[in-house]
Amino acid sequence: MRKFVILFVSFFGCFYLQAQLTVNYSSGYSTYDTDGMRELLRNIQTSHPISAIGAKNVGNFKASNLIHVIDIGYMFDKHEFGIKAGGYHSTGGKLSVTDYSGAYSNLFIVNGFRAGMYYRGYFYTFRKNVKPLFSFYGEISPGIYLSEFKNERFFIVNDEVLDSAEVESKMNSFSLLAQIGAKFNVTEIFHIHTALGYDIADKTEDENSAFEATYMNWSGIRFSVGVGIAF
Amino acid sequence: MKKYYIHVTILLLFLVACEYVNEEDYFVEISKPVDKEIVLNLADFPNGDTLYIYKRTELDYQLILPEGELLKKRFTLNREELVPLNDYIVLEPSGDIPYRSVLTLEIEIESGSESIAGKLGLENYIGKFDFTVVFIPDATLHLENVTHHRNDNDFFELTWDKPELEQYTVDKYRIIYSHHRNEYVKEITDPDITYFVDSMAVFGTLQYRIETFFKEAIREPWIDMYTTEIVFPESSVQFEYTGVNSGKISWPKNEYQSKYAFAIGYFGEILYEGTDNYFEIEDIVEFLRDLKVVFPFAYGSGWVELYVLPVTTTDTSRDWPIHHDILITPSLITLEENRGAFKLFTDRSREMLFVNNGKEVWVYDSNNLLLLNHVIVNALPDAWNHLAYCSEESALMLFTYEDCIEQVSYDFKNHERIVFETEEKLDYQKAHLGSNDVVYIRPVVDILPEGEPEVEGKLYAFDLISRELINYFTFPNKWNETVVSRDGKYVALFNNNYPVSSVSVYQFSSDEYTLVYYEDIPLNGQINENMCVYFNEKESNQLFITLAPGSYSNETYAVDLENGNRTPMKRISYICSDPYTGYIVTNHGINCVIYDQTFTRELFKQERTYIDNLFHNFIFTSSVYSPTLYYLDLTNYLER
């Protein structure tokens, strides 16, 4: 019942304020700093006994990836704010060597999911027939990264398991995304948009890791293109 | 419910932005190295075996290793590392090592494999060898019960116990011994044979080196020395009479089968060789003469050598063991200690032979030397330089001492001390008892200062029974010597004046002395030459004059007092005569000649023979330096 009351109040508010509810989906490209994890791989690779067995780096923490972002917010006049969910990042690295006598594999996966608030200020709007056709905006989005560190490793020699582990730990870090973008209203409801910015995030260190200096820095460029609806 | 939606949303997002996936593996194509064996030879003991360590032992080891770097070679004993030397390790029992321990050798050789396991060293060639080590520190590491005995064939047999220690497996015995200056080596390859027969081992010091070799390479041979001595005790070689003038020399029969060679004297000629432990002497006198040995055998020349030889040898040399001994002549009396010379005197009528030494008196049958009586006369002084006589008339024995004459009856029941009553002090020690029971005695001759006039000498004659002075005989010089015949019939008076001596013989009667013989005897110029005068013990009218007695230039002749006839000079010295036969014993140096009563015919001639007395054809020898009275029966020889 309380949920219905809240929903009614929201709709009534939006109607009274002449606000629009916007839902945006963006897909884009993001970069991030994986130097820490790469260094971790290098350290492992050069440490004993991994260096002796000649483990090869078969995945070295790719520093860019596609992202998907969903914004849900309210827009009235030149302002839009809401929640921003998305920016799911996933990267990993792996050391591997295998022969008849044994196998070594050490896979690290770091996932980061960003969630936060956003504010957009439309500072320029080109209108056609009074109706806004496209707009430029600036966006500030504070948020947190929900990071997940996974390590799956095994070391088997002569059928004897020397090491085996599947470790998972979760860490959080703050971030602030600043970007500018443009929105093109295809119809009164449907629009497409693009944005380019930079996300500044705290280093996320896996304090539970068995290895030293296991940290991820999700800071990086964010570029996205998406579609949205406003009603 | 709210959490559900969140999860669904995240899942959807994951579906559109998948989590990092990497299924790529780096597979290295490489082949497995061929297995190679590590071989350890630890003193020929198989792996897992038990080693018994009794003393400090060096364990040689050899390793056959595959090619590759030696990564590990580690000997441990009870997990404590041993430091191996080049090619052996040393194990030694000590107080802190457990009785049972574990010896381990771990070897690791790099295989060179490029695989993961190889690079980790998990594909190296590894050898691990374990041995159980039992430490026995107090074991006896030599042959036990090494001994010898005479076997059934009368040979020397050396025996020992077979070693029973663990891992002391006998391979063979080697026995090294020597005889006759030759070394012999005998090897016994059957470990169960624990005896050795040495047919050449018969006598003397026998020494055997027994080397015991073991099949285990780590075992040093045992060296056992066994020494024994097979000897005869001293005085084992005996002479014994088997008849008159025949005898037998015998010695103990040797324990082992052997033969003998007998020689008299040092490096002497071998007189007998055979398997009997004795040999017969058919004619002792000839035996002595041929050998030029001295009678009695033990009187300075009784050194004999008895070779004890293996029966198989034909070689009789001094390299074989020799028993050196003194050939013992049977003695009439042997005292426990030397107490001075024996005094022998005889009663012809009763055929009794008396022997006196100290307080002891032995009485024998003079025909066969059977002991009739032996008495210790405590009344006699313990003197050694006295004279002894017997009275055939009164059956009394007389012993002359410095201050008196002790008289003892033949039955030892009566004893009396005789001191004659005279104004002068008498020299009892030189008293003479004639068979006529008259005691002849001279006063003590005092030494007068130089320049004093000569004093006449006296010879008193006392009756033994009445102790009355019968008469006395005076002569101008008291330094003159007087000799009384056995029967008391004659008194010889002589001096050693240089350059001319003289001998006067007076016949004694109850009231006067009648000169029956006189002779001046020029001495040959040697200041120390002297002369002695004797009467034949049987026929007192036979006078013997010996010039320079005992010297190389000695000369003796006999004078018949009844007719004054003289025998030719003989280069001998008078020693004594037999009261029974009148045979005359003479010598020249150590050579002895016995003449018949005529002093012309040699009855017995023996080089290097000492004779002190001759009674009833028994010769007697004694010495102030020997506690033994030797005798030899010459009856048959002298009567031939």
Side-chain angles (χ1 to χ4, degrees):
Chain A
M1 185 63 190
R2 193 171 55 183
K3 293 178 185 174
F4 286 108
V5 172
I6 294 171
L7 189 62
F8 174 77
V9 170
S10 297
F11 272 101
F12 180 78
C14 289
F15 179 76
Y16 179 77
L17 293 173
Q18 293 182 330
Q20 287 182 303
L21 178 65
T22 60
V23 177
N24 298 315
Y25 164 74
S26 302
S27 177
Y29 179 80
S30 67
T31 67
Y32 26 81
D33 179 7
T34 61
D35 288 348
M37 297 306 293
R38 287 181 177 179
E39 186 179 352
L40 172 65
L41 275 190
R42 279 197 302 276
N43 289 341
I44 295 172
Q45 193 176 17
T46 56
S47 66
H48 184 78
I50 308 306
S51 62
I53 62 175
K56 186 178 178 182
N57 189 335
V58 295
N60 194 20
F61 288 98
K62 188 178 175 183
S64 62
N65 203 354
L66 292 175
I67 55 173
H68 306 274
V69 181
I70 293 176
D71 300 336
I72 298 173
Y74 292 98
M75 188 180 81
F76 62 93
D77 198 8
K78 294 179 181 177
H79 306 285
E80 181 180 342
F81 58 89
I83 59 174
K84 181 187 280 287
Y88 177 75
H89 310 282
S90 182
T91 186
K94 183 179 180 182
L95 298 174
S96 170
V97 63
T98 301
D99 65 13
Y100 67 88
S101 67
Y104 172 75
S105 175
N106 200 347
L107 172 65
F108 291 90
I109 298 173
V110 183
N111 297 322
F113 178 76
R114 191 177 190 282
M117 308 291 285
Y118 73 91
Y119 167 77
R120 286 179 189 165
Y122 294 89
F123 56 85
Y124 176 76
T125 303
F126 178 74
R127 297 175 185 272
K128 186 180 180 180
N129 297 328
V130 183
K131 294 182 179 176
L133 184 61
F134 67 89
S135 303
F136 294 99
Y137 61 87
E139 180 182 316
I140 293 294
S141 172
I144 60 172
Y145 272 99
L146 305 174
S147 298
E148 183 181 44
F149 290 85
K150 291 184 178 178
N151 179 219
E152 298 175 6
R153 64 180 188 270
F154 59 86
F155 193 2
I156 300 172
V157 180
N158 291 339
D159 298 328
E160 183 181 354
V161 178
L162 303 182
D163 185 23
S164 176
E166 288 189 13
V167 181
E168 186 176 318
S169 61
K170 294 176 180 176
M171 298 292 163
N172 300 326
S173 62
F174 291 101
S175 78
L176 180 62
L177 172 64
Q179 57 184 358
I180 59 172
K183 182 171 79 174
F184 180 75
N185 294 315
V186 180
T187 65
E188 190 174 343
I189 295 174
F190 180 76
H191 66 265
I192 59 175
H193 60 266
T194 182
L196 176 66
Y198 193 85
D199 193 2
I200 302 170
D202 283 343
K203 282 184 182 178
T204 305
E205 186 165 351
D206 181 3
E207 296 174 350
N208 301 321
S209 174
F211 306 98
E212 292 182 358
T214 306
Y215 66 93
M216 183 67 194
N217 186 355
W218 295 112
S219 299
I221 296 170
R222 302 289 183 267
F223 173 73
S224 60
V225 177
V227 296
I229 57 173
F231 49 89
Chain B
M1 193 66 184
K2 184 179 178 182
K3 193 178 285 184
Y4 172 76
Y5 291 130
I6 293 172
H7 286 166
V8 170
T9 304
I10 292 172
L11 179 63
L12 290 173
L13 290 173
F14 268 77
L15 290 175
V16 294
C18 294
E19 187 181 64
Y20 176 83
V21 174
N22 189 337
E23 295 183 346
E24 181 182 352
D25 286 322
Y26 173 51
F27 185 79
V28 179
E29 196 73 40
I30 193 170
S31 59
K32 190 175 182 181
V34 179
D35 283 342
K36 293 181 180 176
E37 189 181 10
I38 295 176
V39 178
L40 167 67
N41 178 7
L42 179 64
D44 296 333
F45 286 103
N47 187 22
D49 205 351
T50 299
L51 281 66
Y52 291 83
I53 301 299
Y54 299 89
K55 63 170 188 174
R56 186 182 188 278
T57 304
E58 294 180 358
L59 291 165
D60 293 331
Y61 66 87
Q62 295 89 41
L63 284 167
I64 301 175
L65 304 175
E67 286 186 9
E69 184 184 352
L70 177 63
L71 300 177
K72 183 179 184 182
K73 184 175 80 173
R74 186 167 181 261
F75 280 97
T76 58
L77 183 67
N78 295 333
R79 298 181 182 176
E80 288 189 16
E81 185 163 3
L82 297 175
V83 180
L85 298 172
N86 285 339
D87 52 0
Y88 63 90
I89 59 172
V90 177
L91 295 180
E92 183 172 10
S94 63
D96 54 350
I97 295 183
Y99 170 78
R100 187 176 292 273
S101 303
V102 177
L103 174 69
T104 302
L105 170 62
E106 296 169 283
I107 290 283
E108 186 172 352
I109 305 293
E110 188 178 46
S111 65
S113 170
E114 292 295 324
S115 69
I116 293 174
K119 288 173 178 173
L120 291 177
L122 301 176
E123 246 177 15
N124 290 339
Y125 303 123
I126 292 175
K128 185 177 181 186
F129 306 90
D130 290 318
F131 300 88
T132 300
V133 183
V134 175
F135 289 97
I136 304 174
D138 301 322
T140 302
L141 299 180
H142 58 77
L143 291 177
E144 293 189 279
N145 293 327
V146 181
T147 186
H148 74 275
H149 67 278
R150 183 180 62 201
N151 68 8
D152 295 339
N153 297 320
D154 291 342
F155 286 124
F156 179 95
E157 185 169 300
L158 192 66
T159 61
W160 57 87
D161 289 349
K162 183 182 177 183
E164 298 293 348
L165 296 178
E166 287 286 349
Q167 291 177 349
Y168 266 101
T169 310
V170 175
D171 183 34
K172 65 179 179 181
Y173 303 103
R174 177 187 293 159
I175 300 160
I176 303 170
Y177 56 103
S178 61
H179 293 298
H180 198 233
R181 294 190 178 180
N182 293 321
E183 186 173 277
Y184 301 89
V185 178
K186 169 71 175 178
E187 288 200 351
I188 299 173
T189 55
D190 183 349
D192 292 324
I193 296 178
T194 56
Y195 64 90
F196 166 64
V197 177
D198 184 2
S199 61
M200 289 193 291
V202 290
F203 198 73
T205 300
L206 303 173
Q207 191 171 64
Y208 296 87
R209 176 188 169 97
I210 309 172
E211 299 175 351
T212 308
F213 295 88
F214 301 96
K215 291 181 179 176
E216 291 81 6
I218 62 169
R219 304 302 183 202
E220 295 175 354
W222 290 354
I223 308 296
D224 289 279
M225 301 299 297
Y226 182 75
T227 302
T228 187
E229 193 168 24
I230 302 167
V231 294
F232 295 146
E234 287 185 15
S235 304
S236 296
V237 183
Q238 298 283 347
F239 168 81
E240 60 182 307
Y241 293 109
T242 56
V244 176
N245 199 36
S246 66
K248 182 170 87 171
I249 292 177
S250 63
W251 49 87
K253 185 174 176 61
N254 192 32
E255 186 178 359
Y256 303 100
Q257 195 177 123
S258 52
K259 66 178 184 180
Y260 313 93
F262 180 88
I264 289 183
Y266 188 57
F267 280 82
E269 178 187 355
I270 290 177
L271 306 175
Y272 166 79
E273 190 170 345
T275 55
D276 291 331
N277 62 321
Y278 64 90
F279 65 97
E280 303 279 357
I281 303 172
E282 294 180 358
D283 189 321
I284 294 172
V285 177
E286 285 186 3
F287 178 78
L288 296 172
R289 181 185 295 119
D290 292 342
L291 291 175
K292 298 182 178 177
V293 296
V294 174
F295 177 84
F297 294 118
Y299 197 79
S301 63
W303 181 266
V304 297
E305 293 179 333
L306 179 65
Y307 299 68
V308 185
L309 312 164
V311 289
T312 53
T313 187
T314 56
D315 172 40
T316 304
S317 71
R318 301 186 65 80
D319 294 333
W320 291 106
I322 298 174
H323 171 70
H324 294 98
D325 211 335
I326 300 295
L327 180 59
I328 301 300
T329 302
S331 63
L332 201 61
I333 299 166
T334 298
L335 302 176
E336 291 183 357
E337 58 182 357
N338 184 16
R339 298 203 302 245
F342 290 89
K343 312 295 188 299
L344 283 75
F345 49 101
T346 186
D347 185 326
R348 289 182 301 189
S349 60
R350 296 176 178 82
E351 294 187 326
M352 296 169 69
L353 176 67
F354 298 91
V355 180
N356 165 242
N357 190 294
K359 297 175 181 289
E360 291 183 79
V361 178
W362 294 262
V363 183
Y364 298 91
D365 184 335
S366 65
N367 290 306
N368 50 26
L369 298 186
L370 285 175
L371 181 64
L372 302 177
N373 203 354
H374 173 211
V375 176
I376 297 175
V377 184
N378 291 319
L380 296 180
D382 196 7
W384 60 272
N385 56 349
H386 57 285
L387 300 175
Y389 302 92
C390 62
S391 165
E392 295 182 5
E393 298 282 340
S394 309
L396 295 170
M397 292 176 282
L398 264 65
F399 304 92
T400 67
Y401 299 100
E402 184 177 357
D403 299 323
C404 65
I405 295 173
E406 299 288 351
Q407 174 184 292
V408 180
S409 62
Y410 279 7
D411 58 5
F412 296 97
K413 292 179 180 176
N414 297 313
H415 161 255
E416 192 172 351
R417 179 162 296 176
I418 300 173
V419 177
F420 297 111
E421 292 183 359
T422 59
E423 295 178 353
E424 293 179 286
K425 185 179 179 182
L426 300 179
D427 188 358
Y428 290 99
Q429 199 167 42
K430 293 182 179 177
H432 175 89
L433 174 64
S435 58
N436 55 356
D437 276 3
V438 174
V439 178
Y440 300 89
I441 187 167
R442 291 177 60 174
V444 173
V445 178
D446 294 326
I447 298 175
L448 295 175
E450 190 175 352
E452 290 289 327
E454 290 185 350
V455 178
E456 66 177 10
K458 280 185 182 175
L459 178 65
Y460 293 97
F462 291 93
D463 185 84
L464 175 65
I465 305 304
S466 65
R467 314 286 164 80
E468 295 291 335
L469 177 64
I470 299 173
N471 65 15
Y472 63 88
F473 169 65
T474 59
F475 42 91
N477 190 339
K478 70 175 182 179
W479 296 108
N480 286 358
E481 299 284 346
T482 54
V483 176
V484 181
S485 66
R486 176 184 176 84
D487 57 4
K489 183 178 178 182
Y490 296 104
V491 175
L493 179 68
F494 65 95
N495 61 58
N496 286 310
N497 293 337
Y498 179 79
V500 178
S501 255
S502 65
V503 176
S504 304
V505 180
Y506 296 88
Q507 185 171 353
F508 171 78
S509 66
S510 59
D511 54 354
E512 63 178 356
Y513 288 90
T514 307
L515 181 64
V516 294
Y517 182 76
Y518 179 83
E519 181 181 2
D520 286 328
I521 301 172
L523 299 181
N524 292 332
Q526 298 297 326
I527 291 177
N528 59 352
E529 272 196 322
N530 55 8
M531 56 179 286
C532 280
V533 175
Y534 313 92
F535 291 98
N536 190 306
E537 295 289 305
K538 181 184 178 187
E539 298 294 341
S540 58
N541 57 355
Q542 189 177 35
L543 180 73
F544 297 94
I545 299 173
T546 297
L547 306 178
S551 70
Y552 179 77
S553 58
N554 57 1
E555 289 179 310
T556 298
Y557 58 96
V559 177
D560 187 341
L561 296 176
E562 290 186 350
N563 53 29
N565 291 338
R566 292 175 43 173
T567 63
M569 286 278 194
K570 298 182 186 301
R571 204 170 180 80
I572 53 175
S573 294
Y574 175 92
I575 300 299
C576 64
S577 55
D578 189 339
Y580 294 89
T581 62
Y583 296 158
I584 302 129
V585 179
T586 66
N587 74 0
H588 178 68
I590 57 172
N591 299 320
C592 176
V593 180
I594 298 177
Y595 292 92
D596 68 351
Q597 194 179 336
T598 65
F599 198 49
T600 55
R601 188 165 66 96
E602 291 181 3
L603 301 177
F604 174 91
K605 185 175 184 180
Q606 176 60 46
E607 294 181 353
R608 291 184 290 182
T609 298
Y610 292 98
I611 296 176
D612 293 330
N613 301 94
L614 180 63
F615 292 110
H616 226 157
N617 290 343
F618 286 101
I619 62 174
F620 296 89
T621 300
S622 66
S623 165
V624 293
Y625 306 110
S626 168
T628 307
L629 177 62
Y630 300 102
Y631 74 102
L632 180 62
D633 184 359
L634 298 183
T635 305
N636 276 10
Y637 190 84
L638 295 176
E639 288 180 350
R640 274 192 298 191

